[in-house]
Amino acid sequence: AQSVTQPDIHITVSEGASLELRCNYSYGATPYLFWYVQSPGQGLQLLLKYFSGDTLVQGIKGFEAEFKRSQSSFNLRKPSVHWSDAAEYFCAVKGNFGNEKLTFGTGTRLTIIP
Amino acid sequence: DTEVTQTPKHLVMGMTNKKSLKCEQHMGHRAMYWYKQKAKKPPELMFVYSYEKLSINESVPSRFSPECPNSSLLNLHLHALQPEDSALYLCASSQGGQGTYEQYFGPGTRLTVT
């Protein structure tokens, strides 16, 4: 069965500083990987996705993520955070055998300080 | 357009009431999902409809009854709920089938059971 681990429950970053959110997955083959962001009381917005090909993927709002098969990781990065980036971030994995189920990590809450 | 809409935004209901949550998408997606999300937790899958047929029921209590009247609409009928059912209910859609398709989420319905 697939699983996702987000080791950091809460991260605090100064506005303008760089950001890296960690995500490790467990899956027997090449997974399909996603990052979603959720502002308080809102739905989830897709930031980016990895299916195959180039291991560095670009997303919306200036985010990028790198797929590293050797480390089973798909970390999310942003070179300079803005106060509006404060939110909950979820990494998710989906199997590639037609299974529609998406498995989420427990999430990382990002706080931005001035 | 990647919009999934949900109504109502907020719902307060007593334990003896019957109510329904509605979800709509016009992206031509053929898979639709209901998730339940408690505070500070990731979304939990409840149901999946694929090509208007129920394909996954994650052992959800019968007081939750999904319905997919057509490929654009998804309902969740609620009856005799318990206070612990209070949560954010999220709808999502994807292109469905065997492909590598991402899920798009609606803004959610905040449900309070009194």
Side-chain angles (χ1 to χ4, degrees):
Chain A
Q2 62 217 38
S3 67
V4 178
T5 300
Q6 292 181 249
D8 303 305
I9 296 173
H10 184 204
I11 284 184
T12 299
V13 176
S14 297
E15 191 169 13
S18 64
L19 171 70
E20 183 168 29
L21 302 182
R22 296 184 290 165
C23 172
N24 292 97
Y25 68 89
S26 174
Y27 186 66
T30 300
Y32 301 136
L33 295 160
F34 308 86
W35 275 100
Y36 285 89
V37 61
Q38 185 177 32
S39 297
Q42 302 296 313
L44 278 70
Q45 183 180 23
L46 179 67
L47 284 176
L48 46 77
K49 63 193 179 193
Y50 173 77
F51 292 157
S52 65
D54 192 348
T55 56
L56 184 64
V57 293
Q58 302 297 320
I60 62 171
K61 305 185 179 191
F63 285 92
E64 66 177 27
E66 186 171 12
F67 171 62
K68 292 186 177 180
R69 184 190 305 274
S70 62
Q71 298 176 19
S72 297
S73 69
F74 188 57
N75 294 348
L76 182 71
R77 300 194 294 248
K78 186 170 185 178
S80 176
V81 297
H82 185 262
W83 63 267
S84 59
D85 293 323
E88 189 85 20
Y89 290 80
F90 292 99
C91 182
V93 62
K94 178 182 175 297
N96 56 11
F97 294 110
N99 187 331
E100 296 292 343
K101 292 178 68 170
L102 197 59
T103 299
F104 287 92
T106 50
T108 297
R109 182 161 61 93
L110 176 64
T111 297
I112 308 295
I113 55 176
Chain B
D1 183 9
T2 56
E3 188 178 25
V4 176
T5 59
Q6 291 186 243
T7 56
K9 290 189 187 306
H10 302 275
L11 179 62
V12 179
M13 61 185 290
M15 290 190 285
T16 58
N17 291 159
K18 287 185 180 181
K19 296 286 186 183
S20 297
L21 309 185
K22 295 186 186 304
C23 173
E24 191 167 4
Q25 57 87 14
H26 294 288
M27 296 177 278
H29 289 175
R30 300 312 300 269
M32 297 185 76
Y33 311 77
W34 280 115
Y35 289 85
K36 174 183 178 180
Q37 186 180 26
K38 301 286 273 185
K40 301 186 188 303
K41 297 289 187 184
E44 298 173 19
L45 183 65
M46 300 174 71
F47 303 103
V48 180
Y49 272 84
S50 182
Y51 292 85
E52 299 163 50
K53 290 189 185 333
L54 184 64
S55 62
I56 296 177
N57 176 342
E58 291 287 284
S59 303
V60 178
S62 60
R63 57 186 184 268
F64 295 91
S65 175
E67 178 196 19
C68 189
N70 59 57
S71 59
S72 300
L73 291 173
L74 186 66
N75 298 322
L76 186 63
H77 302 297
L78 314 173
H79 174 54
L81 295 193
Q82 303 298 309
E84 60 264 29
D85 296 322
S86 298
L88 182 68
Y89 288 84
L90 295 164
C91 174
S93 71
S94 71
Q95 285 188 268
Q98 299 284 322
T100 59
Y101 303 123
E102 60 272 24
Q103 293 181 22
Y104 293 93
F105 285 79
T109 293
R110 173 71 61 189
L111 174 66
T112 303
V113 182
T114 61

